[in-house]
Amino acid sequence: MTTALATTTAVFTGIGVTAPNGLGTEAWWRATLAGESGIRPVSRFDASGYPARLAGEVPGFDPAEHIPSRLLPATDHMTRLALTAAKEAVEDSGASPDELPPYSAGVVTAASAGGFEYGQRELQALWSKGGQYVSAYQSYAWFYAVNTGQISIRHGLRGPSGVLVTEQAGGLDAVAQARRQLRKGSKLIVSGGVDGAICPWGWTAQLTGGRMSTVADPGRAYLPFDAEASGYVVGEGGAILVLEDAEAARARGARVYGRLAGYAATFDPAPGRGGEPGLRRAAELALGEASLAPSAVDVVFADAAGVPELDRQETDALTALFGARGVPVTAPKTMTGRLLAGGASLDLAAALLSVRDAVIPPTVNVTAPADGALDLVTAVRRGPVRTALVLARGSGGFNAAAVVTADD
């Protein structure tokens, strides 16, 4: 790696959010600080015949108000949410991609599976009516890279582009790949993740994992680190972020939310092999890249699986790194559910706004922590936040950690 590549600093200049407890960044952030949950009975399809019947759905979203009419027949609900978040993020950044050098602005997003709802509808048409009733747009609307492609086209981002498929860890992996492109010479990368598959096809895929909560009470269904934890609730949405080279951002007078100071990814040992899960090592490596000691961290945004075994693993990783109750830990995703590839990028957005507003958002509904090892934030805490550690784990053994800091 050359010196130029090693010293490039990536900063966040734009945030766009579509979340189950708020459409738009400021609406979501107000709801999050107020402890308002977006978890409720599924409305996007009839879930009465399924054991899990709760979800986090983005409220008040009318695609016709946000998406050009020509794109409506060609896009899945997930992609419409992504395009809405991307537009907000680009506008929030104040950047004009068309004024940048050719091919210097691109898109890197995360996905878990692609446009499941669109795919289900078209496959139903194929099986029940025949191939002539299948939309030509099915050829790409289902594809896991579709959000990257549609964002790129809509905003004229012709530079490096890609997609990461690491489930819940994807939102961190995507911004790390965006930073890699900045280090290679790009000036601006739109990144993050927006996901969603709240349809029978996607629901069945989630249920087969055996980790979805079947509790009917929205206030008791998703309780990470709680003695009554019984699984997670699925949600839709996420966050799209604009990353820029710090020098380029400052040269145009951009407002900076913070910088990506460190990142690392690890894998868990294969099933049956034994050994420690890789989450602690990912956190250590991310802090090491940021040249920060654990004592410098003001808050950890936890992965918060809501599955007792996985919660114990994360608690063990945090206590090994910080000591018992050694750092405030929060999981605002208790208000949204787990958003698949959109979850970690939404946590990144929360971390950046925590730095901006000197506040730590709460973990709601958790009333009986499984043990006293974590300093779990269950009500808003005010005070300076200059360094946040964001953790994420994806199904299949993926671990990711990112450190965001105030921009000095």
Side-chain angles (χ1 to χ4, degrees), residues 15-345:
I15 300 174
V17 168
T18 54
N21 60 338
L23 178 59
T25 300
E26 295 304 331
W28 156 74
W29 189 235
R30 284 194 301 271
T32 297
L33 294 181
E36 297 174 3
S37 176
I39 294 174
R40 53 185 61 90
V42 174
S43 67
R44 294 195 60 77
F45 71 97
D46 181 5
S48 60
Y50 295 83
R53 302 173 188 174
L54 300 176
E57 299 176 342
V58 176
F61 180 72
D62 180 355
E65 296 179 359
H66 302 276
I67 307 299
S69 59
R70 62 182 173 79
L71 286 179
L72 294 178
T75 50
D76 181 78
H77 177 68
M78 168 202 71
T79 300
R80 295 169 182 175
L81 293 175
L83 285 168
T84 301
K87 183 174 185 291
E88 182 186 18
V90 171
E91 291 178 350
D92 183 49
S93 75
S96 298
D98 56 348
E99 296 178 1
L100 295 172
Y103 309 106
S104 66
V107 186
V108 180
T109 68
S112 65
F116 253 42
E117 186 175 357
Y118 198 106
Q120 174 178 321
R121 184 179 70 242
E122 298 307 314
L123 286 175
Q124 285 178 316
L126 173 66
W127 295 333
S128 63
K129 299 178 182 180
Q132 67 270 33
Y133 292 94
V134 177
S135 170
Y137 297 124
Q138 163 70 355
S139 61
Y140 61 80
W142 69 271
F143 191 43
Y144 57 85
V146 65
N147 289 355
T148 289
Q150 290 287 13
I151 293 169
S152 173
I153 293 168
R154 190 177 189 191
H155 294 280
L157 305 169
R158 297 181 293 169
S161 294
V163 61
L164 280 297
V165 185
T166 54
E167 212 249 353
Q168 186 83 15
L172 301 188
D173 295 335
V175 299
Q177 177 67 13
R179 184 182 65 168
R180 187 172 294 116
Q181 297 299 341
L182 294 177
R183 288 175 169 176
K184 291 181 178 180
S186 295
K187 300 301 182 184
L188 179 150
I189 303 289
V190 175
S191 190
V194 171
D195 212 341
I198 302 179
C199 62
W201 198 14
W203 214 244
T204 301
Q206 286 288 327
L207 284 168
T208 59
R211 293 175 174 173
M212 285 183 72
S213 173
T214 58
V215 174
D217 180 355
R220 305 305 298 164
Y222 177 36
L223 300 171
F225 307 114
D226 193 287
E228 296 183 16
S230 61
Y232 61 82
V233 173
V234 173
E236 66 181 11
I240 298 295
L241 310 164
V242 175
L243 281 82
E244 295 188 61
D245 170 75
E247 291 186 6
R250 293 189 183 102
R252 68 175 184 84
R255 179 270 329 281
V256 173
Y257 287 102
R259 62 188 181 98
L260 180 59
Y263 160 82
T266 60
F267 295 96
D268 289 339
R273 293 284 296 273
E276 181 186 352
L279 186 63
R280 177 175 64 87
R281 183 165 175 266
E284 289 175 337
L285 291 171
L287 287 170
E289 187 192 30
S291 299
L292 292 172
S295 59
V297 175
D298 298 305
V299 61
V300 174
F301 286 80
D303 176 70
V307 177
E309 177 187 0
L310 298 178
D311 288 347
R312 282 195 299 271
Q313 292 175 2
E314 185 165 22
T315 298
D316 289 345
L318 290 172
T319 54
L321 188 57
F322 296 100
R325 301 183 62 83
V327 65
V329 176
T330 191
K333 57 171 64 70
T334 50
M335 290 172 263
T336 65
R338 290 177 70 81
L339 308 185
L340 308 175
S345 55

